[in-house]
């Protein structure tokens, strides 16, 4: 298998899928508050994707994943399963949305603050968001995957955080996960060179403590081994000759 260079027709479909995924985050934002459950958020997103967008929530039944979105709270790193547990003031929550429309995928995630979130947790989220964009800013034809990883790692470790190694970004298109793997650490100039027409996700997971993760018994939820807080932001991005186009920009980012 190799990296798929998208045609202009495919790119147009990826723009639509990306826009829909971003729209789900915009739709759900006002509902993310203390006292509600992540199952409730899952159900709202599911119904919106299926009935309003007439699209498919890609996580549902993906390798047996039981829900339509991923919700990862506090020390959960990624792939958290929505449940009947209530969100409480002080929690930080990542919601990860992947939508499939006309056979193409858009994948994006962001952090939400529940009630009053401590400064240190807000700071983790801010640095993670900055790291995502520093990584994205490396993207153009001829740059390498190592350039992206290096920019992210430098920013995170410069603030004495760590970069999760066990999960990475990915190519995306007709398949949810395509080649290449996009590591969020590395050396500038290392790895394959990007080409115009590639579409990848960048989705750094940054921990307050050590980078090690472990899976919970539910077969999906990944947590930090040391139980320190973890944050993540994700965008789906088209590589162009001169730079990049973010396909999953939300309203406030457009
Ligand atoms: N959306 C995640 C990613 O960014 C993958 C979730 S897989 C699932 O790659 F099965 F947990 F949904
Ligand atoms: Co992804
Ligand atoms: Co995702």
């Amino acid at each position: 298998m190799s990296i798929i260079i998208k045609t202009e027709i495919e790119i147009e479909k990826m723009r639509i899928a990306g826009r829909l995924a971003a729209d789900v985050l915009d739709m759900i934002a006002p509902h993310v508050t203390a006292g509600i459950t992540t199952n409730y958020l899952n159900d709202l997103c599911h119904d919106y994707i299926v009935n309003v967008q007439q699209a498919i929530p890609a996580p549902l039944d993906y390798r047996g994943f039981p829900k339509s979105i991923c919700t990862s709270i506090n020390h959960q790193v990624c792939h958290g399963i929505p449940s009947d547990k209530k969100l409480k003031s002080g929690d930080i929550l990542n919601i990860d949305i992947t939508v499939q429309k006309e056979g193409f995928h858009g994948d994006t995630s962001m952090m939400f603050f529940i009630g009053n979130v401590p400064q240190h947790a807000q700071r983790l989220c801010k640095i993670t968001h900055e790291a995502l964009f520093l990584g994205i800013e490396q993207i153009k034809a001829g740059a390498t995957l190592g350039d992206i990883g290096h920019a992210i790692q430098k920013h995170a470790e410069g603030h004495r955080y760590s970069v999760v190694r066990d999960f990475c970004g990915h190519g995306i298109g007709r398949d949810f996960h395509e080649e290449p793997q996009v590591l969020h650490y590395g050396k500038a100039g290392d790895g394959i060179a990007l080409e115009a027409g590639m579409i990848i996700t960048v989705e750094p997971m940054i921990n307050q403590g050590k980078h090690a993760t472990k899976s919970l018994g539910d077969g999906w939820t990944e947590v930090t081994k040391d139980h320190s807080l973890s944050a993540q932001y994700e965008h789906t991005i088209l590589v162009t000759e001169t730079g990049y186009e973010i396909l999953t920009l939300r309203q406030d980012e457009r």
Side-chain angles (χ1 to χ4, degrees):
M1 277 303 292
S2 53
I3 302 173
I4 298 165
I5 305 294
K6 272 73 178 178
T7 66
E8 195 48 53
I9 291 167
E10 291 170 331
I11 289 168
E12 196 45 53
K13 292 192 173 174
M14 287 296 288
R15 287 192 181 103
I16 292 167
R19 167 74 72 114
L20 292 179
D23 285 347
V24 178
L25 288 176
D26 279 330
M27 180 280 296
I28 204 66
H31 299 281
V32 183
T33 53
I36 61 106
T37 69
T38 46
N39 259 342
Y40 175 71
L41 298 175
N42 177 79
D43 294 349
L44 285 178
C45 290
H46 178 93
D47 291 348
Y48 187 77
I49 293 166
V50 170
N51 298 323
V52 178
Q53 299 186 328
Q54 309 211 304
I56 298 168
L60 186 59
D61 294 329
Y62 177 80
R63 299 179 181 219
F65 191 77
K67 297 283 177 171
S68 297
I69 64 173
C70 295
T71 52
S72 304
I73 306 170
N74 296 336
H75 70 295
Q76 297 178 348
V77 174
C78 61
H79 304 166
I81 304 174
S83 78
D84 283 326
K85 209 179 130 177
K86 285 179 178 164
L87 295 171
K88 61 178 191 308
S89 180
D91 285 345
I92 58 171
L93 169 69
N94 176 278
I95 300 183
D96 192 337
I97 303 290
T98 314
V99 163
Q100 189 198 311
K101 179 78 173 180
E102 290 186 29
F104 289 85
H105 293 80
D107 189 8
T108 185
S109 84
M110 66 177 285
M111 300 303 296
F112 292 90
F113 297 158
I114 316 303
N116 294 320
V117 168
Q119 279 298 323
H120 70 88
Q122 292 194 27
R123 185 163 160 278
L124 171 70
C125 295
K126 176 171 177 277
I127 300 300
T128 304
H129 187 261
E130 288 171 3
L132 167 65
F133 274 87
L134 288 167
I136 290 173
E137 283 162 16
Q138 298 299 314
I139 297 176
K140 63 176 181 199
T144 71
L145 287 175
D147 295 338
I148 300 173
H150 177 74
I152 292 167
Q153 182 176 19
K154 191 171 140 206
H155 194 61
E157 293 182 356
H159 289 84
R160 307 222 269 94
Y161 296 137
S162 66
V163 178
V164 170
R165 315 277 168 131
D166 299 337
F167 302 92
C168 57
H170 49 93
I172 182 167
R174 281 188 190 280
D175 281 322
F176 191 161
H177 295 108
E178 299 182 353
E179 286 187 47
Q181 294 197 8
V182 180
L183 304 185
H184 302 113
Y185 58 92
K187 243 176 75 187
D190 272 9
I192 61 130
L194 299 169
E195 290 174 41
M198 290 180 181
I199 300 181
I200 59 172
T201 72
V202 179
E203 50 181 299
M205 287 143 273
I206 306 294
N207 299 348
Q208 268 184 343
K210 297 208 167 73
H211 71 74
T213 68
K214 63 175 186 190
S215 341
L216 292 187
D218 62 15
W220 280 100
T221 311
E222 300 289 339
V223 299
T224 54
K225 220 170 183 174
D226 61 12
H227 279 220
S228 65
L229 289 181
S230 186
Q232 179 179 30
Y233 289 83
E234 173 175 27
H235 273 310
T236 297
I237 302 133
L238 167 69
V239 182
T240 68
E241 275 316 327
T242 53
Y244 57 86
E245 180 182 330
I246 302 175
L247 304 183
T248 44
L249 288 177
R250 298 181 300 279
Q251 223 138 46
D252 60 316
E253 298 176 306
R254 282 173 204 150

